[in-house]
Amino acid sequence: MRILPSWTRSHAAQLSPQRRDFELVRATSEEFDLVIVGGGVTGAGCAVDAASRGLNVALIEARDFGSGTSSRSSKLIHGGLRYLEQLDVALVHEALTERGLLTSRIAPHLVHALPFLLPVKSQAQRLYYGAGLFAYDFLASANRWGRGVPHHQHFGKAATQRLFPDLNDKYVGSIGYYDAQTDDARLVSTLARTAAGLGACVLSSVEALGLERGPDGISGVKAYDVESGERMTLKTTRVVSAAGVWSDEVTGLAHGRSGINVEASKGVHLVLPREAIQGDTAIIDRTPWSVLFIIPWDRHWLIGTTDTSWNLNLAHPAASASDVAYLLEQASETLGKRIDISAVEGVYAGLRPLLKGESDDTSRLSRTHAVVEPERGFVVVAGGKLTTYRVMARDTIDRVTRDLPYVQPSRTEYLPLLGADGWEYYLAHTAAVAKRYRQSEDVVSRLLHRYGNLAVQILELMRQQPQLARPLAGDEQYLRAEVVYAARCEGALHLEDVLARRLRVSIETTDRGVKAAEDTAGLMATVLGWNETTQDNEVACYLDRVAAEKRSQQQPDDNAAENARMAACEIRRVLELSTSR
């Protein structure tokens, strides 16, 4: 199969409402080489890998693409300094190689180099950290794709203060180095669209219910369309579970044990306005219990993360008051200034799927990923990290296809994601693009860094409908055209899909998107054909979600926080109840 440049696949990669109707028919009429359960970064990556090898593949996700762990990370593409300290050299080398691939070839429009400062308290600590960063740079340079960001350098106290005026003056200096940053949710939706452009059947709001079996083993996946309430069977003899923290639940569909056990670890992040902290780089520092990140995020700062066991609801991990207080305390200690809770704009919590070994063979896998086949034709991939999604996908599809003849090896190392081709050309000619579409250079640059070459589609939409060039109500950064584009081309089916993932209004505004809800729902209604009742339900559920999250963040512990969060309605649950009557 010839790999087409992403710009030639942009039309085929539109996840429109009409495309979804077509895919639902296709899901019940075709026989697939492979069905992938789970639409996070790993599942979407598996779909890209499989489709690029010429397989007929279906990807199903019970909620929205990236709605779990993959949209709630620290948003870093990095090698992992702490893994180097643990002497997991192979994992660090692998991650650094992927970092280089993503920044230079696969997704340069989505993954960008980010400067960090690592503060040091003594010269002995400088030598220790410096040796680690020398190894970090060496491992990055050991592979031609591992490069792509500058090497580390040392700064004295005065230079450190110039780079980050709000850093605590207890530090004698710092070491500067680079990693990379991405909008994790946008990366996932771009992977899903790339898979669709390669011919994959891509469906969100379709939940796997179980496996169907025939005389020769697996014959299909029983599934449920959350939007319509209809049940279906996707015909296939091979299934991949890429369900992250839900891996144990999905493995239960096979009525067997996978040999691995996934434990959920909660990571909480705070979002602050950029003016709350004076600094020009990201900060990484140690705390007694975890690693502290203070990361610039466009007009904001991200502060994270916690690392605590979570045994409650997997769909809606809740941040408690103690989580928020802990992060504020640790950030205040590193910065040498008190960060008050009043400065917090947004809070989000995600669950990291950690591998917990059930045998001597799997116990060592907790910091990497595992691919197992508990039943012939049923493959489970679990663990890993955002940075290494492509390697996880490659290993998974290698396992799935090992007994299939004439299947090509993975080609994703050479496959740019949708929006990547020609991105640098557009960026170099931002002024000309801005002049052509009568927009400011700032607007064009921001769109290019979010959509790559597909930014032109949004600019064209704004030219055709000038009212869509206005900012979204309640958030001056995002444009109304982006909402229409999300519903028309990016598979957004509900208000939360747009405000929490296609855009990041839910964590980037002090009201968590309340002011934007009505405007956004009205724009989506024109694309998705919502009536007034549906539109009102979408807004009501979103506002209820925001209120519940705020209540949860005032609770003292995880149990109380979860009870507060779970009191909110969820639009897909509302649909499920209405269609089951």
Side-chain angles (χ1 to χ4, degrees):
M1 174 180 172
R2 184 168 66 91
I3 301 297
L4 298 175
S6 62
W7 58 267
T8 67
R9 292 184 267 113
S10 61
H11 180 73
Q14 287 190 5
L15 298 181
S16 63
Q18 297 77 19
R19 169 71 176 263
R20 188 174 194 276
D21 292 341
F22 170 78
E23 297 288 46
L24 286 169
V25 173
R26 183 181 168 194
T28 57
S29 59
E30 291 187 15
E31 182 168 352
F32 296 98
D33 297 318
L34 169 66
V35 172
I36 300 165
V37 178
V41 71
T42 306
C46 285
V48 171
D49 192 292
S52 67
R53 299 192 200 199
L55 299 178
N56 188 19
V57 57
L59 170 67
I60 60 174
E61 160 59 42
R63 296 188 294 160
D64 184 29
F65 301 116
S67 58
T69 304
S70 296
S71 62
R72 307 179 194 181
S73 73
S74 297
K75 313 193 188 309
L76 295 176
I77 299 295
H78 64 122
L81 280 175
R82 57 180 168 174
Y83 303 131
L84 186 60
E85 190 173 26
Q86 296 165 6
L87 301 180
D88 201 337
V89 175
L91 176 61
V92 175
H93 179 249
E94 177 181 86
L96 289 171
T97 299
E98 293 305 304
R99 184 192 71 181
L101 272 168
L102 285 163
T103 55
S104 61
R105 170 180 280 184
I106 296 175
H109 58 311
L110 298 175
V111 182
H112 314 288
L114 178 68
F116 273 84
L117 284 183
L118 175 57
V120 295
K121 297 178 181 177
S122 66
Q123 295 307 319
Q125 196 176 63
R126 182 187 291 279
L127 288 172
Y128 177 71
Y129 287 156
L133 282 164
F134 178 83
Y136 202 64
D137 290 340
F138 175 80
L139 289 170
S141 300
N143 183 296
R144 67 189 178 112
W145 294 118
R147 299 188 292 272
V149 300
H151 285 184
H152 78 279
Q153 60 183 121
H154 290 258
F155 298 109
K157 187 167 187 174
T160 298
Q161 287 295 321
R162 285 195 298 272
L163 289 167
F164 212 107
D166 271 353
L167 189 66
N168 196 323
D169 63 6
K170 69 180 179 180
Y171 298 106
V172 302
S174 64
I175 307 174
Y177 75 100
Y178 279 78
D179 262 318
Q181 184 177 60
T182 190
D183 184 328
D184 46 9
R186 181 145 296 282
L187 177 62
V188 176
S189 63
T190 302
L191 282 164
R193 291 189 64 192
T194 302
L198 291 165
C201 175
V202 176
L203 286 165
S204 62
S205 280
V206 171
E207 181 178 357
L209 299 177
L211 301 182
E212 207 164 72
R213 291 174 173 81
D216 299 321
I218 292 172
S219 61
V221 175
K222 292 179 283 187
Y224 169 78
D225 179 13
V226 177
E227 303 298 312
S228 67
E230 295 183 7
R231 293 176 182 257
M232 67 187 82
T233 298
L234 288 80
K235 299 174 186 175
T236 186
T237 56
R238 294 171 182 82
V239 178
V240 164
S241 166
V245 292
W246 286 272
S247 290
D248 291 345
E249 293 184 13
V250 176
T251 300
L253 300 178
H255 307 301
R257 293 166 63 87
S258 65
I260 57 175
N261 182 25
V262 177
E263 180 175 329
S265 173
K266 184 177 71 167
V268 174
H269 294 79
L270 311 180
V271 184
L272 278 68
R274 196 63 181 268
E275 58 268 20
I277 300 171
Q278 292 186 60
D280 295 326
T281 71
I283 295 287
I284 180 173
D285 199 11
R286 279 183 176 280
T287 75
W289 298 276
S290 63
V291 173
L292 176 72
F293 293 112
I294 303 174
I295 305 168
W297 173 254
D298 198 19
R299 303 170 300 164
H300 314 272
W301 291 95
L302 300 182
I303 297 178
T305 176
T306 61
D307 189 1
T308 55
S309 180
W310 179 264
N311 300 307
L312 302 172
N313 184 273
L314 297 177
H316 303 295
S320 67
S322 58
D323 293 323
V324 175
Y326 165 77
L327 288 172
L328 290 174
E329 178 185 354
Q330 297 305 318
S332 298
E333 175 66 23
T334 295
L335 295 174
K337 61 180 277 187
R338 183 172 180 270
I339 304 295
D340 190 76
I341 193 170
S342 62
V344 176
E345 292 179 305
V347 181
Y348 65 93
L351 299 178
R352 182 185 176 207
L354 300 177
L355 292 180
K356 183 178 179 182
E358 294 183 349
S359 68
D360 290 338
D361 290 334
T362 58
S363 61
R364 64 184 177 84
L365 297 173
S366 60
R367 294 185 302 277
T368 182
H369 66 273
V371 179
V372 297
E373 191 171 7
E375 176 183 346
R376 182 173 177 82
F378 184 73
V379 174
V380 179
V381 54
K385 51 191 282 190
L386 180 71
T387 306
T388 56
Y389 82 85
R390 191 193 67 83
V391 177
M392 297 172 67
R394 179 197 66 198
D395 293 349
T396 302
I397 305 306
D398 281 348
R399 181 66 176 260
V400 169
T401 61
R402 71 189 189 284
D403 58 348
L404 288 177
Y406 313 119
V407 175
Q408 305 172 28
S410 178
R411 305 172 69 182
T412 53
E413 180 180 350
Y414 306 100
L415 175 64
L417 299 186
L418 195 71
D421 285 340
W423 172 74
E424 294 90 347
Y425 176 84
Y426 282 104
L427 198 62
H429 295 83
T430 298
V433 175
K435 182 177 180 181
R436 177 180 179 184
Y437 288 99
R438 298 182 180 180
Q439 297 294 326
S440 71
E441 291 185 37
D442 286 345
V443 165
V444 172
S445 177
R446 189 187 69 80
L447 292 175
L448 286 171
H449 280 88
R450 285 179 57 76
Y451 302 92
N453 64 36
L454 301 182
V456 175
Q457 296 180 0
I458 299 173
L459 292 167
E460 190 63 37
L461 185 61
M462 291 157 61
R463 181 162 69 177
Q464 294 171 4
Q465 302 180 56
Q467 73 275 16
L468 297 181
R470 297 201 308 267
L472 188 63
D475 193 317
E476 299 249 338
Q477 180 176 14
Y478 296 108
L479 304 174
R480 302 176 84 237
E482 294 180 80
V483 174
V484 173
Y485 188 78
R488 184 181 292 178
C489 300
E490 296 185 326
L493 299 177
H494 296 286
L495 182 58
E496 180 185 344
D497 299 348
V498 172
L499 293 181
R501 285 174 289 278
R502 303 306 184 278
L503 313 180
R504 306 314 292 267
V505 178
S506 67
I507 63 171
E508 292 180 349
T509 56
T510 53
D511 71 347
R512 316 287 175 93
V514 169
K515 292 177 183 175
E518 289 278 1
D519 192 16
T520 303
L523 291 165
M524 295 182 71
T526 63
V527 179
L528 299 175
W530 292 345
N531 59 29
E532 189 174 338
T533 300
T534 301
Q535 190 172 327
D536 289 344
N537 285 340
E538 289 282 342
V539 173
C541 277
Y542 182 79
L543 299 185
D544 198 32
R545 168 189 181 268
V546 169
E549 287 185 345
K550 287 185 175 181
R551 286 195 301 270
S552 73
Q553 291 151 21
Q554 298 169 354
Q555 305 307 311
D557 55 42
D558 283 352
N559 285 300
E562 187 208 28
N563 288 336
R565 176 63 182 88
M566 292 305 295
C569 73
E570 183 179 2
I571 190 64
R572 284 179 169 84
R573 178 60 178 160
V574 172
L575 281 172
E576 193 173 342
L577 291 173
S578 65
T579 55
S580 64
R581 290 172 184 164

